[in-house]
Structures are given as structure tokens and as C-alpha cells.
């Protein structure tokens, strides 16, 4: 009999990376013969009016409609495992409670730090990174600084929801939490969730194999791909471009778009193209000398780094915690001191003068690193996780 897995996901009002991972995991499991059922929710009723906010506050604690839908699907599909990707804000922890009532093992992927940080990113305006609320039962600072949607009311609502679920023990009832990196695992285990070490496992996301690029065919420019926002280290990179002349191409969009466009006008060696189609992005990644990741926050597991690995692209990355565990200094590229434009300039200058054989070694190491983030590796890790939970359940019968 084929394994049956129920995947549950709550879509936000704006599409994001979690949605992509959810769809990728569905396809991966089905490609390998796993019987998959999905249960999805949306946040379309969270419209911001006071009445809706108050109504949402009640439903965000325990949504009876979501519980009823989960009960129906589990009863019909009879899954071996339930895997939740996101439950905020319509699904709610009700989906966990229903699955546990029916003795189905529950896996929940933590794509961010939402359970212990109001904005989910361990940062706030003026403080990057920020761990003020990480170990606090009640994240008062998150409410005071209106870290969720810049709203004190909505920050308080979300804080109350996660607090009550901490107190009722619903998070501790989850059989396995999946995090993307060892760094994230350490943060979650030291948090106010008080989880057991056996409850938190590392399973990275994967990216499709987009093809290795010949190092000898690369051109003399450095590349940034991503959201143009302060935490991404955009200003550090632009400052480095002012101090040291190197060819820089920037692909992306975000709140600092105007600032980036103005810098590109003043600096002839900087080319800003805005956001581009995936085909254009991948072509640029395969042709650049190196990818620059100047982030000043912890990041999660940036897709652009994994795609750089797949293409064999050398990486210049800030030595920020978490990132310094993903990108090995001197192996797949170079690290520079986080937030230090002088050090970034120095590293860029070094790579600009590296011999071809040294760049080729970076490329080979980068491609080798991709093996950890391939579809095959992800499938093996996923099935190992699911099978271990089924065995644990059988041992209890």
C-alpha cells in the first residue's frame, strides 16, 4: 500500500516563497508514487476593518470551520501523516488538534519564526537582527513596536494567539517541526516554545537542477538578485560600488528601488534592470563572475543561494549567522564582514583578480554543495522523516 500524506497549507493574501515550497513538495511526492491529498485555506476575509479584526481575533485561536474541514478530509483520506506548511490565520492550530485527536502523526514546517517573533523574521525596524522576543512567553516588545503589519492591534492579536497555544501545549503536541538550517534549529530550541530536541529536525528546501555553467564562459560582472530592502544589505553593496569600481548588475524590486535606480544613474558600472523573468535571472546567474549576498539579517535559506550552487556560481556573502553556515568561506566563494562595505570591496577585488583555475574550483565546490539541496536529497529526507513517525506510531499501538 502506498503511503498517504495530507499536506495542509494556508495561503497568505500575497503569494510568497512558502506557497512555492508547498507546491514543489506536492509535485515531488507525487512524482515518487506517494498518494497525496491537499487541504488549503486562504486569508481573504482578513480585510482590516475593526469588525473583521475582532472577528478574526476569535477565529485565529480556534477556527471551528477549519477543524470541521480537517476532520472530514482525514476521515475520507485516512492519511499516514499530516504535514502542515502554514496555519496562519484561517487554518489555525485547530488542524493540529484534529489530527492528534485522530492519532495521525503531525509534521509542521517552520518557514519563519512566527511562533516566537511577531513579524516572523527576528528583526524589526531599527534593530536587525532582533531576538528580544525569542525567549519571552509574552512578546511585549513585538506589540510595543507594532512589528506585525505596523499595527499594535494586529500585533497584540497575533501575540495572544501564539501565547494561548503555548499555554495549552498545542505546539508541544506536534511530532516533528521541520526547520531549514541547523542555525534555525538552535534558535527554536532555545525559544519560549520549550520543545524537545527530538521534536525539531533539519530538512532544507530544494531547487530544481537548472544546469551547471562553464566557469570559462563567465563574464566580468558581479550580480545581486532579490528584494531591494534595507535588511538585504543593499546600501552596503552600493557603498562598496562607490569605493571600488567593479561591474555590478542588480535584478530585483522593493522599497529601495528609487535609491538603487539613482545609484545606477550616478555609477556607470552599475546596471539596474528591475525585476526580471526567471529565465533572465538564471541566464544572468550563469554568466556572472559571482553572486553577491550582502544581507545584514539572519535570512532563512535563500533560494538564490541554492540556485547559485546548482549553476556552480561562486558566492560573495556576508558572514552573518546562519548564512555563514550555508556558504563555506574559501570553498564556494568568500565571506565578508556583515555591514562592512570596505571588506566587501576587498573581497570583490580579490575575486576580480583570481586565477581561472581558482574560480573553477569555487564553481566545482558550489556545484557539489548543491547535492544537499537537490530533489533527490529532499525526497529521501522527507520519506525518512515520514517513515520514522509511522514506525513510532506503530510501536505505541
Amino acid at each position: 500500500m502506498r503511503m498517504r500524506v495530507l499536506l495542509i497549507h494556508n495561503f497568505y493574501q500575497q503569494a510568497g516563497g512558502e506557497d512555492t515550497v508547498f507546491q514543489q513538495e506536492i509535485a515531488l511526492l507525487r512524482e515518487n508514487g506517494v498518494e497525496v491529498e491537499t487541504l488549503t485555506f486562504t486569508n481573504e476575509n482578513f480585510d482590516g476593518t475593526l469588525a473583521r479584526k475582532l472577528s478574526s481575533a476569535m477565529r485565529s485561536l480556534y477556527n471551528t470551520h477549519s477543524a470541521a474541514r480537517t476532520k472530514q478530509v482525514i476521515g475520507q483520506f485516512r492519511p499516514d501523516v499530516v504535514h502542515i506548511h502554514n496555519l496562519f490565520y484561517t487554518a489555525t492550530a485547530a488542524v493540529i488538534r484534529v489530527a492528534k485527536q485522530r492519532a495521525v502523526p503531525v509534521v509542521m514546517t517552520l518557514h519563519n519564526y512566527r511562533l516566537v517573533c511577531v513579524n516572523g523574521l527576528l528583526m524589526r525596524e531599527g534593530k536587525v537582527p532582533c531576538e528580544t522576543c525569542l525567549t519571552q512567553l509574552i512578546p511585549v516588545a513585538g506589540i510595543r513596536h507594532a512589528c506585525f503589519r505596523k499595527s499594535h492591534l494586529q500585533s497584540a492579536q497575533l501575540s495572544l494567539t501564539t501565547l494561548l497555544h503555548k499555554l495549552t501545549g498545542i505546539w508541544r503536541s506536534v511530532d516533528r517541526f521541520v526547520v531549514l538550517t541547523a542555525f534555525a534549529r538552535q534558535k527554536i530550541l532555545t525559544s519560549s516554545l520549550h520543545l524537545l530536541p527530538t521534536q525539531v529536525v533539519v530538512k532544507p528546501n530544494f531547487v530544481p537542477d537548472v544546469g551547471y555553467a562553464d566557469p570559462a564562459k563567465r563574464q566580468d560582472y558581479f550580480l545581486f538578485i532579490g528584494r531591494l530592502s534595507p535588511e538585504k544589505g543593499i546600501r552596503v553593496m552600493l557603498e562598496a560600488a562607490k569605493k571600488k569600481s567593479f561591474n555590478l548588475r542588480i535584478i530585483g524590486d522593493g522599497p529601495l528601488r528609487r535609491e538603487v535606480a539613482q545609484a545606477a544613474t550616478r555609477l556607470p558600472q552599475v546596471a539596474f534592470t528591475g525585476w526580471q523573468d526567471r529565465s533572465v535571472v538564471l541566464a544572468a546567474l550563469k554568466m556572472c563572475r559571482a553572486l553577491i549576498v550582502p544581507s545584514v539579517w539572519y535570512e532563512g535559506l535563500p533560494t538564490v543561494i541554492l540556485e547559485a550552487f546548482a549553476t556552480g556560481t561562486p558566492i560573495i556573502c556576508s558572514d552573518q549567522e546562519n548564512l555563514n553556515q550555508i556558504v563555506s568561506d574559501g570553498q564556494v566563494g568568500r565571506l565578508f564582514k556583515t555591514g562592512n562595505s570596505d571588506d566587501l570591496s576587498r573581497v570583490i577585488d580579490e575575486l576580480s583578480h583570481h586565477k581561472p583555475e581558482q574560480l573553477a574550483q569555487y564553481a566545482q565546490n558550489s556545484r557539489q554543495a548543491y547535492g544537499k539541496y537537490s530533489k533527490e536529497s529532499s525526497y529521501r529526507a522527507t520519506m525518512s522523516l515520514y517513515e520514522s513517525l509511522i514506525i513510532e506510531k506503530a510501536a505505541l499501538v
Side-chain angles (χ1 to χ4, degrees):
M1 180 182 294
R2 293 193 298 171
M3 183 183 293
R4 296 187 299 275
V5 179
L6 172 60
L7 291 176
I8 299 178
H9 183 55
N10 196 131
F11 290 91
Y12 291 115
Q13 290 175 334
Q14 294 183 339
E18 295 178 29
D19 304 333
T20 300
V21 173
F22 173 66
Q23 298 293 351
Q24 285 181 333
E25 298 243 339
I26 293 171
L28 179 63
L29 292 172
R30 286 177 174 166
E31 286 173 9
N32 287 276
V34 177
E35 191 172 350
V36 176
E37 182 62 81
T38 62
L39 176 59
T40 61
F41 302 86
T42 66
N43 292 329
E44 59 187 13
N45 291 326
F46 286 69
D47 68 356
T49 64
L50 181 59
R52 286 296 181 93
K53 284 178 181 177
L54 293 174
S55 175
S56 298
M58 297 301 296
R59 292 198 309 273
S60 65
L61 295 176
Y62 189 95
N63 192 319
T64 55
H65 179 64
S66 300
R69 288 186 60 196
T70 306
K71 180 179 179 180
Q72 180 183 25
V73 172
I74 289 178
Q76 293 175 346
F77 184 58
R78 300 178 65 81
D80 297 302
V81 175
V82 167
H83 190 156
I84 302 165
H85 278 270
N86 179 41
L87 49 72
F88 293 103
Y89 302 91
T90 301
T92 76
V95 300
I96 299 174
R97 195 170 300 280
V98 170
K100 296 304 295 182
Q101 287 171 347
R102 280 146 188 78
V104 182
V106 174
V107 175
M108 182 172 172
T109 296
L110 299 180
H111 295 278
N112 53 46
Y113 298 95
R114 184 78 67 197
L115 301 188
V116 292
C117 172
V118 176
N119 74 8
L121 302 175
L122 291 185
M123 67 177 188
R124 62 176 170 83
E125 189 171 350
K127 188 172 177 58
V128 182
C130 175
E131 297 186 17
T132 304
C133 297
L134 181 65
T135 59
Q136 302 300 309
L137 183 64
I138 306 175
V140 176
I143 301 172
R144 184 171 65 250
H145 295 289
C147 289
F148 182 62
R149 296 181 178 177
K150 297 183 178 180
S151 166
H152 292 96
L153 178 60
Q154 293 187 60
S155 297
Q157 173 188 327
L158 179 56
S159 297
L160 176 62
T161 299
T162 55
L163 167 64
L164 291 179
H165 290 322
K166 289 175 189 176
L167 296 176
T168 61
I170 191 67
W171 305 131
R172 291 193 297 276
S173 73
V174 173
D175 295 276
R176 295 291 189 278
F177 283 100
V178 172
V179 294
L180 307 183
T181 66
F183 173 83
R185 180 176 185 271
Q186 184 268 332
K187 292 300 177 187
I188 290 298
L189 287 177
T190 59
S191 75
S192 58
L193 296 176
H194 299 301
L195 301 175
L196 297 173
T198 53
Q199 281 182 276
V200 187
V201 299
V202 177
K203 187 180 82 68
N205 293 332
F206 72 90
V207 295
D209 188 351
V210 292
Y212 180 72
D214 185 351
K217 296 181 179 180
R218 291 186 177 272
Q219 299 176 3
D220 186 25
Y221 70 88
F222 295 85
L223 179 66
F224 172 90
I225 303 170
R227 177 173 167 78
L228 307 181
S229 53
E231 72 275 5
K232 291 290 187 177
I234 303 300
R235 291 177 174 134
V236 177
M237 183 175 63
L238 293 178
E239 188 64 28
K242 293 178 186 177
K243 297 176 178 178
K244 197 76 174 181
S245 181
F246 59 91
N247 295 321
L248 172 64
R249 182 175 179 184
I250 301 174
I251 300 177
D253 204 350
L256 297 185
R257 178 187 177 91
R258 177 177 293 183
E259 188 173 327
V260 172
Q262 290 174 345
T265 300
R266 295 192 304 269
L267 302 171
Q269 75 274 24
V270 176
F272 173 51
T273 59
W275 197 250
Q276 299 292 317
D277 290 338
R278 179 172 168 76
S279 59
V280 176
V281 172
L282 289 177
L285 189 59
K286 290 182 177 181
M287 294 301 293
C288 69
R289 178 178 288 270
L291 173 73
I292 300 178
V293 183
S295 294
V296 296
W297 71 297
Y298 287 146
E299 289 278 5
L301 184 60
T303 297
V304 68
I305 289 181
L306 306 190
E307 290 179 336
F309 288 158
T311 56
T313 302
I315 303 170
I316 297 174
C317 184
S318 66
D319 66 355
Q320 181 62 280
E321 288 187 88
N322 194 41
L323 288 176
N324 60 16
Q325 296 180 20
I326 301 169
V327 178
S328 301
D329 190 28
Q331 297 297 312
V332 300
R334 293 299 309 277
L335 298 180
F336 70 94
K337 296 177 183 177
T338 300
N340 189 318
S341 59
D342 289 329
D343 202 41
L344 174 56
S345 297
R346 178 187 62 80
V347 170
I348 289 173
D349 187 54
E350 286 182 2
L351 257 72
S352 297
H353 295 91
H354 273 347
K355 295 180 179 179
E357 55 267 28
Q358 192 166 7
L359 293 175
Q361 188 62 58
Y362 282 151
Q364 292 171 18
N365 292 343
S366 187
R367 176 62 183 184
Q368 187 175 8
Y370 168 65
K372 181 179 178 181
Y373 308 101
S374 68
K375 291 175 64 174
E376 295 77 15
S377 292
S378 182
Y379 174 70
R380 288 193 298 268
T382 300
M383 293 308 293
S384 176
L385 172 60
Y386 292 166
E387 289 166 357
S388 67
L389 291 177
I390 293 172
I391 292 171
E392 286 180 17
K393 176 186 175 182
L396 296 174
V397 175

